Amino acid sequence: MLARFLDEREVRLLAAAEAECIGRGGISMVEEATGVSRRRIALGKKELSQGRLEKGRTRRPGGGRKKIIEKDATLEQDLELLLEPCTRGDPESPLRWTSKSLRNLARELSAMGHSIGKSAVGRILETMGFSLQANRKTLEGSSHEDRDAQFRHISSTAQAFFKDGQPVISVDAKKKELIGKYKNAGREYHPQGTPEEVNVYDFMDKQLGKGIPYGVYDTAKNEAWVSVGIDHDTASFAVESIRRWWHCMGRDSYPDAKRLLITADSGGSNGSRVRLWKRELQNLADELKLELSVCHLPPGTSKWNKIEHRLFSFIAQNWRGKPLISHEVIVNLIANTTTKTGLTVRCQLDRNQYPRGTKVSDAEFKTIAISRNDFHGEWNYTIKPRCP
């Protein structure tokens, strides 16, 4: 009756005390009645005669079962060889091309002559400083020699626009999303045993199509506009998204604006080498009567674009685990994205067609009123409105 309330030491001391009171044959009687082994009862009697253990201990130092790595001298070394076959182990290691799960590690250690289970492997790995690790995106490849200088240029240019009360926006296209019952990364709460069912294969439904979110983030106001396209991510679609932001949000926020600074990646539909991007910006400058200054991020630094971590990351959190079954669902989920810092987002579906392959001739390109900055003019330039 008391056993479940007592620790290991208290059980053996109680059993030993009972055996001592019984006298001759007491150990056998207590063993039969309680299930405590003769060895433990004898040890308890010895402890009773010697006095109490140290406070907080149930066994004397060195007592108890020996750890497996103490009994098996080569176990830890063999485990390290399995974990690092490329640097320290045999290049023909059986785990070189397989998952290093606890079950696989235990199986290979057993094949090497060690008697061990997966739980013991997990405990040993923890003492060795190992833990479960996911891939981390940190390698950006080679960087441009003026990478940091370009970031400083973007920052100083933006500060000058802020000081003058002129708008500064960050633009980019989010990854394309398939419309329909497709798996979306992340999890959300459902009644237990009733996960939302989605398609096994991610083949695009030709009737439902895809959604292409293109975002415009106002860095000063912490506001954003997202156009969800249904055709192609082209420069025409990118500039149309900026146009819609201006008419729906920017014009009211900056009624006295004369200039607009656009920060964008060096690639994609708003790339620094895309002629169509510059032609469409010229048309927009003529229409809005605004000087459009553009600063491109250096190659290989798209993740540093403010829109990535101030807008797109929160959109992904807001729709995690939700199948995007229609364009309306995408629009509503984006429009309801908020943050503790007060981010507000407006979103609209763009049903226009934006065919790929539009060419801009040399003659047409020469009509663009573009002035390039002395510092990396291919990244930093201004397009002014042309006279009527």
Side-chain angles (χ1 to χ4, degrees):
M1 291 172 61
L2 288 173
R4 63 181 182 273
F5 302 107
L6 306 176
D7 61 27
E8 179 184 334
R9 176 182 61 174
E10 293 167 339
V11 167
R12 70 174 178 261
L13 291 179
L14 178 60
E18 290 288 345
E20 190 70 26
C21 291
I22 294 172
R24 185 178 177 83
I27 291 181
S28 298
M29 294 177 64
V30 173
E31 179 185 27
E32 183 179 355
T34 64
V36 179
S37 69
R38 297 179 63 88
R39 181 176 176 276
R40 287 180 62 193
I41 296 174
L43 178 61
K45 293 182 68 174
K46 184 178 179 181
E47 291 173 346
L48 286 175
S49 64
Q50 292 179 348
R52 299 179 61 184
L53 291 175
E54 298 176 26
K55 188 176 181 180
R57 296 188 65 92
T58 59
R59 296 173 180 161
R60 294 188 180 278
R65 195 178 197 177
K66 300 297 182 183
K67 294 182 179 180
I68 190 171
I69 57 175
E70 296 178 7
K71 296 189 294 183
D72 191 337
T74 62
L75 176 60
E76 186 171 345
Q77 180 181 357
D78 289 344
L79 181 55
E80 286 191 20
L81 293 177
L82 287 176
L83 290 168
E84 298 292 342
C86 297
T87 56
R88 287 182 291 177
D90 182 359
E92 300 300 324
S93 167
L95 286 177
R96 185 179 177 87
W97 307 114
T98 61
S99 169
K100 296 183 180 67
S101 66
L102 297 181
R103 184 175 286 103
N104 286 344
L105 288 169
R107 185 178 63 247
E108 295 304 327
L109 286 171
S110 297
M112 297 169 70
H114 303 284
S115 179
I116 189 171
K118 63 177 184 178
S119 299
V121 172
R123 292 193 297 270
I124 295 172
L125 289 177
E126 186 174 352
T127 62
M128 293 169 62
F130 285 86
S131 64
L132 291 173
Q133 303 283 333
N135 301 148
R136 179 181 295 175
K137 292 184 177 180
T138 55
L139 304 178
E140 297 180 357
S142 58
S143 59
H144 195 280
E145 58 183 2
D146 289 332
R147 164 179 161 160
D148 293 344
Q150 175 64 4
F151 276 117
R152 288 193 294 269
H153 175 80
I154 293 174
S155 178
S156 61
T157 304
Q159 290 301 321
F161 271 71
F162 290 145
K163 186 176 181 180
D164 198 28
Q166 304 299 307
V168 179
I169 60 175
S170 172
V171 302
D172 197 11
K174 199 177 184 299
K175 77 178 185 70
K176 302 176 181 65
E177 302 290 346
L178 295 179
I179 306 300
K181 283 278 190 176
Y182 299 102
K183 179 178 175 61
N184 201 356
R187 296 180 293 178
E188 63 174 359
Y189 282 100
H190 288 281
Q192 188 171 0
T194 59
E196 188 152 3
E197 297 181 351
V198 296
N199 298 337
V200 175
Y201 302 107
D202 293 341
F203 298 123
M204 186 178 73
D205 187 318
K206 293 185 178 180
Q207 292 184 341
L208 297 176
K210 58 190 175 184
I212 309 171
Y214 192 94
V216 180
Y217 176 72
D218 185 338
T219 57
K221 301 286 186 179
N222 196 24
E223 299 174 345
W225 170 270
V226 179
S227 290
V228 178
I230 63 172
D231 191 33
H232 297 105
D233 178 22
T234 66
S236 299
F237 171 57
V239 175
E240 175 61 21
S241 300
I242 298 174
R243 178 181 286 108
R244 295 188 180 202
W245 163 79
W246 176 256
H247 288 305
C248 295
M249 300 179 71
R251 180 170 53 187
D252 294 335
S253 298
Y254 303 95
D256 299 324
K258 303 297 182 183
R259 300 178 295 152
L260 169 64
L261 176 61
I262 303 170
T263 61
D265 296 344
S266 289
S269 57
N270 45 236
S272 59
R273 297 184 179 183
V274 180
R275 283 190 170 192
L276 182 61
W277 162 255
K278 296 181 176 67
R279 191 196 73 177
E280 293 299 316
L281 285 179
Q282 180 67 77
N283 295 335
L284 182 63
D286 295 343
E287 174 188 334
L288 304 182
K289 301 298 186 290
L290 289 175
E291 287 188 6
L292 304 181
S293 297
V294 181
C295 290
H296 290 278
L297 276 71
T301 61
S302 61
K303 294 302 178 183
W304 293 90
N305 200 340
K306 290 187 183 298
I307 196 172
E308 288 283 351
H309 47 87
R310 292 192 181 179
L311 175 64
F312 289 161
S313 61
F314 296 105
I315 292 175
Q317 291 179 29
N318 195 44
W319 69 27
R320 66 182 186 274
K322 294 183 176 69
L324 307 176
I325 59 176
S326 67
H327 288 102
E328 288 71 22
V329 168
I330 291 183
V331 170
N332 286 323
L333 287 172
I334 292 176
N336 283 279
T337 300
T338 58
T339 66
K340 293 181 180 179
T341 57
L343 171 69
T344 57
V345 186
R346 294 180 64 181
C347 186
Q348 187 181 73
L349 188 64
D350 186 346
R351 296 187 179 276
N352 294 336
Q353 298 295 309
Y354 299 98
R356 292 179 294 187
T358 303
K359 302 294 183 181
V360 178
S361 65
D362 292 343
E364 189 177 10
F365 189 73
K366 289 180 180 179
T367 64
I368 299 175
I370 184 172
S371 59
R372 301 185 182 275
N373 194 282
D374 293 337
F375 177 75
H376 281 286
E378 74 279 13
W379 293 341
N380 308 293
Y381 50 86
T382 299
I383 298 177
K384 298 181 180 180
R386 292 174 294 199
C387 295

